[in-house]
Amino acid sequence: MRASEPGPSLTELATTHGTDKWGMHRYTPHYERFLEHLRDESFTLLEIGIGGYAQSGEGGASLRMWRDFFPRAQIIGLDIEDKSFVAGDRVHVYQGSQVDPEVLDRIFADFPDIKVVIDDGSHRPEHIRETFALLFERLPLDGLYAIEDTQTSYWPAWGGSRDRHDPSTTMALVKDLVDGLNYEEYLDQHYRPTPTDLTIKGLHCFHNLVILEKGDNREGTNKRVAAEPLTGLDALRQKIADTADRFRRRSP
């Protein structure tokens, strides 16, 4: 297909291949918005979770959707179950846990040009958070990282919590990353930006889907250096809050 010829939309391909990224969910228009610029590029996309668990011999619908949307890309699927039958032209399959560093190291050794990671794996917050910690730093500065099915943050049966302020959920991670977008505006003089503070330039939340754009997040600040300082009880409260925040960020 020539670049000048418009191909089918991602939603059309999702329908053709039967992936729930359109239908049960409404993910494909968001993905197309953020990935359209890569359509004719050579790169590698890694999707965690291949699907088709209802019966043997099923799965791979979204990998085929990605393959057809990106005609020059290599598509990788990682799954805890054996999905080797899904492999084919430009589709590569690995078996293993999404939080196994050795498996992830092997994938990145085989495909060092991974630019897009989509976490559609276990959907358990502890796995999502650990996978993000293992993989986001490996992406190039123009990479993209997506987390699907974030509704499990609120479901205890999936490792989530009824408490919307529980710090261990997927959405708690997302909320921290949103704060990090604005780290240059913090008034804590002792704060040191984290790697994600410095390299997440955009974070987009949709229903059950989060998309993060990697890039240089050093834009500078317009805060007043000579802002009137806090005094008395207000200063003490702020000092306690700043100390607690630094401790929390250093904790695993």
Side-chain angles (χ1 to χ4, degrees):
M1 181 184 301
R2 295 192 302 272
S4 60
E5 295 179 350
S9 71
L10 195 59
T11 298
E12 290 170 333
L13 290 172
T15 302
T16 297
H17 292 294
T19 171
D20 67 1
K21 286 180 175 24
W22 177 256
M24 179 180 294
H25 302 292
R26 295 290 189 269
Y27 298 160
T28 49
H30 305 307
Y31 278 130
E32 186 154 6
R33 171 186 169 192
F34 288 97
L35 294 173
E36 173 68 28
H37 69 287
L38 296 174
R39 189 151 195 182
D40 294 302
E41 299 296 320
S42 296
F43 71 101
T44 299
L45 178 150
L46 166 62
E47 180 163 24
I48 298 167
I50 295 178
Y53 309 112
Q55 61 186 48
S56 62
E58 292 188 345
S62 61
L63 298 183
R64 291 185 282 271
M65 175 194 73
W66 296 124
R67 177 199 64 196
D68 291 350
F69 189 74
F70 299 113
R72 300 181 61 193
Q74 301 298 316
I75 310 300
I76 303 172
L78 170 63
D79 203 282
I80 195 70
E81 296 186 8
D82 180 8
K83 298 289 182 177
S84 56
F85 60 89
V86 172
D89 180 35
R90 294 188 294 107
V91 175
H92 314 271
V93 173
Y94 291 77
Q95 183 177 5
S97 168
Q98 68 182 84
V99 293
D100 184 339
E102 291 185 6
V103 173
L104 300 176
D105 285 345
R106 179 154 48 91
I107 292 174
F108 272 80
D110 293 344
F111 295 90
D113 66 336
I114 292 175
K115 182 174 286 189
V116 177
V117 171
I118 297 170
D119 186 348
D120 187 18
S122 74
H123 307 316
R124 296 190 63 85
E126 67 268 26
H127 294 160
I128 291 171
R129 294 174 67 102
E130 187 170 353
T131 303
F132 178 79
L134 290 169
L135 293 186
F136 186 78
E137 66 179 5
R138 296 177 181 251
L139 291 177
L141 276 181
D142 58 348
L144 182 142
Y145 194 102
I147 303 172
E148 295 188 3
D149 298 324
T150 55
Q151 69 271 21
T152 58
S153 281
Y154 315 108
W155 297 351
W158 288 75
S161 175
R162 292 178 181 271
D163 178 3
R164 295 191 300 276
H165 303 289
D166 187 323
S168 67
T169 68
T170 303
M171 289 309 299
L173 168 66
V174 173
K175 293 169 188 176
D176 282 344
L177 296 177
V178 171
D179 276 336
L181 282 170
N182 300 306
Y183 75 91
E184 290 178 308
E185 313 307 331
Y186 297 170
L187 295 179
D188 177 6
Q189 296 180 354
H190 302 288
Y191 183 80
R192 295 295 178 267
T194 67
T196 53
D197 291 343
L198 295 168
T199 59
I200 293 178
K201 71 173 185 178
L203 194 157
H204 312 272
C205 294
F206 307 97
H207 186 72
N208 297 338
L209 173 67
V210 174
I211 296 177
L212 300 100
E213 295 180 276
K214 192 167 184 180
D216 187 350
N217 186 37
R218 294 174 296 179
E219 295 186 8
T221 175
N222 63 357
K223 67 186 176 188
R224 298 176 183 174
V225 178
E228 184 175 335
L230 297 174
T231 59
L233 187 57
D234 288 337
L236 178 60
R237 286 172 176 163
Q238 186 61 56
K239 184 176 181 180
I240 292 172
D242 291 343
T243 301
D245 183 62
R246 288 197 296 273
F247 179 80
R248 178 178 56 79
R249 285 178 174 268
R250 291 172 183 169
S251 300

